[in-house]
């Protein structure tokens, strides 16, 4: 597993996963995953459906405790110590439907010491989101923008974003990506799960590719692009094709 750890690790690691495995009803979601997440990087996580992407984020966010292996964030295992260091945006709306945005701001101010209320209001203004509005009145794209505004107003060490622009219309995506870049804490790190690699790849310093619960690659994006002579999306397609070819070769009658 050492050979697939990012080779550019220079800063102190924000998070470390060592031999992490997790199953649901006997079905393996993560299989012996070992990764070192360095400081100051935005890292994409991609892979086919069911490859363990969301499971990995939820373990790091402290939602699952029944896994094998070890996870540390700034040296602490997920729990009370890391809740204040991790900002997590789930792939599904997790906001109370009938709560006004102004009340959400108060909640964040109460629960997170690193929450910048003034910054949040500035971001909400950029997205034209009223503090009197409620999620039940919003489209999926506006809810995504609201969640990002709350999340990026924290000064966290580890940001975990699961499909952050899945509901955002194409015209607004560059605006949202600029918001992420402009408000990213360089003393922290960010992991972004996405299927929309073409739309979001400009954010990534490196990419983790998961396949069947295992790490198929963890590489610097420039290395991947230069190796394949094209876009990051094309490089990832090459990785998936290579994995499929290797799998076929291991089957009886499979071609090398």
């Amino acid at each position: 597993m050492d050979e697939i750890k990012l080779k550019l690790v220079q800063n102190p690691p924000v998070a470390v996963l060592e031999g992490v495995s997790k199953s649901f009803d006997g079905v393996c979601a993560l299989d012996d995953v070992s990764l070192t997440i360095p400081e100051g990087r935005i890292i994409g996580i991609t892979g086919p459906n069911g490859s363990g992407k969301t499971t990995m984020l939820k373990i790091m966010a402290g939602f699952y405790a029944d896994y094998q292996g070890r996870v540390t964030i700034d040296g602490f295992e997920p729990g009370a110590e890391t809740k204040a260091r991790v900002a997590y945006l789930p792939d599904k709306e997790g906001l109370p439907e009938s709560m006004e945005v102004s009340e959400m701001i108060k909640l964040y101010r109460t629960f997170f010491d690193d929450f910048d209320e003034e910054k949040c209001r500035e971001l909400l203004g950029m997205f034209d989101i009223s503090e009197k509005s409620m999620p039940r009145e919003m489209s999926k794209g506006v809810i995504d923008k609201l969640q990002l505004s709350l999340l990026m107003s924290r000064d966290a060490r580890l940001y975990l974003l699961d499909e952050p622009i899945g509901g955002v219309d194409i015209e607004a995506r560059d605006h949202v990506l600029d918001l992420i870049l402009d408000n990213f804490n360089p003393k922290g790190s960010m992991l972004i799960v996405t299927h929309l690699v073409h739309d979001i790849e400009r954010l990534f310093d490196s990419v983790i590719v998961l396949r069947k619960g295992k790490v198929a690659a963890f590489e610097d994006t420039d290395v991947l692009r230069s190796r394949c002579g094209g876009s990051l999306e094309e490089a990832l397609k090459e990785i998936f094709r290579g994995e499929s070819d290797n799998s076929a070769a291991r089957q009886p009658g499979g071609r090398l």
Side-chain angles (χ1 to χ4, degrees), residues 2-15 35-43 189 204-208 217-227:
D2 287 344
E3 69 273 8
I4 60 174
K5 289 183 181 177
L6 185 66
K7 298 178 178 62
L8 297 181
V9 174
Q10 296 173 339
N11 298 328
V14 173
L35 295 166
T36 298
I37 308 300
E39 180 182 279
R41 295 180 75 84
I42 300 178
I43 300 171
S189 287
F204 300 149
D205 299 303
S206 48
V207 175
I208 297 168
F218 187 3
E219 295 270 13
D220 181 88
T221 51
D222 289 338
V223 171
L224 285 170
R225 291 188 189 100
S226 62
R227 182 184 301 160

Side-chain angles (χ1 to χ4, degrees), residues 62-81:
F63 285 92
Y64 297 138
D66 56 337
Y67 58 87
Q68 291 75 50
R70 189 165 187 260
V71 176
T72 56
I73 297 163
D74 278 344
F76 298 98
E77 295 186 5
E81 287 285 352

